[in-house]
Amino acid sequence: MLSTIGGLGEFALITRVTSQFPGTDDVILGPGDDAAIVAAPDGRTVATTDLLVEGRHFKREWSSARDVGHRAVAQNYADVVAMGARPTGMLIGFAAPPDLPIVWAEEFTAGVRDECALAGGAVVGGDMVGSEVLTIAVTALGDLEGRAPVRRDGARPGDVVAYAGNLGLSAAGLALLERGIDGPAACLDEHRRPSPPYSAGSEAARLGATAMLDVSDGFLQDLGHIAARSGVRIDLDSKALRPDPALLEAMGVLGVAKGKIEEAARGLMLMGGEDHSLAAVFPAEVDLPENWPPVGTVVATGDPSGEDTGPAVTVDGNVMEGGGWDHFRRA
């Protein structure tokens, strides 16, 4: 009976889980009281929230408990750093069936702990409840360290579009898993455990980025949000997109014709989802570092209302239809 969280009980599970989370200098009061207290030296707190639902965002037959823990942290702290902030705290809501093995919860906790160590934040509290569907709700906090937030609405004509992190690998990993193909490992790993470029967010802010966001629903679609909010149009240069060797290998494994592999790889870079890389726009005079390759330009003024009516992004001057993720349009 004690092999499941139902047999262990809520409060014993809370004690077992929270004992694994170290504190940081940002945590004034961590788990164990009615609420946590997190320092906010800047006087402003960046906050974001996200859900992971089993069967929709992850499958236990595809991803280990540690993978899910890493993912839960990564996809939330990616949003924090996309504002130019530094991760500080995280609260996790954990809804699970009583027959969930205790070892799954412990391994999930280890994944959360290890990804927090990479990102620099800490788990400061949360909640647990019984549920028929394993669901993880995360709220992440960040500190701007005196900088202005990098929003989506600051792009201007003449600015340069760049990205940091990996594009396309996660989508390729999902395609491989759906077909039961075991490799390339880099694609599978990126889908199971996204690797946001945590330090690149504050770096972009210091470089003077005029707009930035986390790429989670597809590079093309997410850039469309910057274009719409900024009232501009963006044009991408397809030749500037350099597919990772593992992505090219995956295209071949997935059966793409040899002469079409690079084109297909670029298609996933543009329209694949769950990358959790960063896309940003910079003034043209900024000398971008190597980890921020330029891939496009803000070319014109768009809808002056700033209404987010859909992508206002072209590739080599042409509109690309389809791609990107929408939770309410896909099963």
Side-chain angles (χ1 to χ4, degrees):
M1 189 67 174
L2 289 179
S3 65
T4 67
I5 62 173
L8 182 63
E10 176 185 358
F11 298 106
L13 180 61
I14 289 172
T15 299
R16 185 176 294 201
V17 166
T18 56
S19 66
Q20 295 191 45
F21 295 134
T24 66
D25 292 341
D26 296 300
V27 182
I28 298 171
L29 180 64
D33 220 302
D34 292 291
I37 302 175
V38 180
D42 178 86
R44 299 166 295 175
T45 298
V46 173
T48 185
T49 191
D50 213 343
L51 289 168
L52 290 89
V53 180
E54 184 177 14
R56 186 144 188 107
H57 302 98
F58 67 92
K59 293 184 178 182
R60 276 189 265 174
E61 59 265 36
W62 287 354
S63 299
S64 71
R66 279 183 181 251
D67 291 337
V68 179
H70 279 274
R71 172 183 280 272
V73 175
Q75 69 183 50
N76 281 275
Y77 275 153
D79 283 330
V80 169
V81 301
M83 298 297 292
R86 176 181 62 84
T88 56
M90 174 170 287
L91 299 107
I92 299 179
F94 189 80
D99 63 356
L100 183 76
I102 294 172
V103 68
W104 199 97
E106 290 182 325
E107 287 294 300
F108 168 80
T109 300
V112 168
R113 179 198 63 211
D114 292 348
E115 190 68 28
C116 279
L118 291 174
V123 175
V124 298
D127 191 22
M128 290 185 179
V129 66
S131 169
E132 292 183 5
V133 179
L134 179 56
T135 302
I136 298 144
V138 180
T139 297
L141 310 173
D143 186 75
L144 288 163
E145 301 180 305
R147 296 182 295 270
V150 186
R151 297 167 31 159
R152 298 181 177 188
D153 59 358
R156 297 293 178 264
D159 285 353
V160 173
V161 180
Y163 75 94
N166 298 307
L167 291 176
L169 291 180
S170 178
L174 176 59
L176 292 166
L177 287 167
E178 288 176 333
R179 299 191 190 184
I181 302 173
D182 190 21
C187 297
L188 298 173
D189 292 345
E190 193 65 30
H191 181 72
R192 290 171 172 146
R193 299 186 184 186
S195 53
Y198 292 119
S199 63
S202 57
E203 177 185 46
R206 290 192 296 270
L207 287 169
T210 56
M212 182 162 56
L213 48 58
D214 159 53
V215 180
S216 55
D217 298 324
F219 190 51
L220 197 66
Q221 179 165 290
D222 285 331
L223 281 176
H225 301 318
I226 287 181
R229 296 289 172 84
S230 300
V232 299
R233 291 195 171 274
I234 290 172
D235 187 52
L236 299 177
D237 176 5
S238 65
K239 292 181 180 178
L241 295 168
R242 302 295 175 87
D244 187 281
L247 180 56
L248 295 172
E249 181 184 350
M251 295 300 94
V253 170
L254 289 166
V256 176
K258 190 173 182 180
K260 296 288 187 179
I261 283 178
E262 193 158 338
E263 179 184 348
R266 286 189 174 124
L268 274 192
M269 292 180 72
L270 289 167
M271 296 185 285
E274 298 188 308
D275 297 298
H276 298 296
S277 57
L278 298 177
V281 177
F282 298 89
E285 64 270 17
V286 173
D287 185 14
L288 292 175
E290 192 173 304
N291 62 310
W292 279 101
V295 292
T297 310
V298 180
V299 293
T301 301
D303 182 355
S305 72
E307 183 179 354
D308 193 352
T309 56
V313 183
T314 53
V315 180
D316 301 328
N318 301 308
V319 175
M320 288 187 67
E321 298 293 341
W325 183 261
D326 185 318
H327 284 284
F328 297 102
R329 291 180 186 166
R330 302 199 183 200

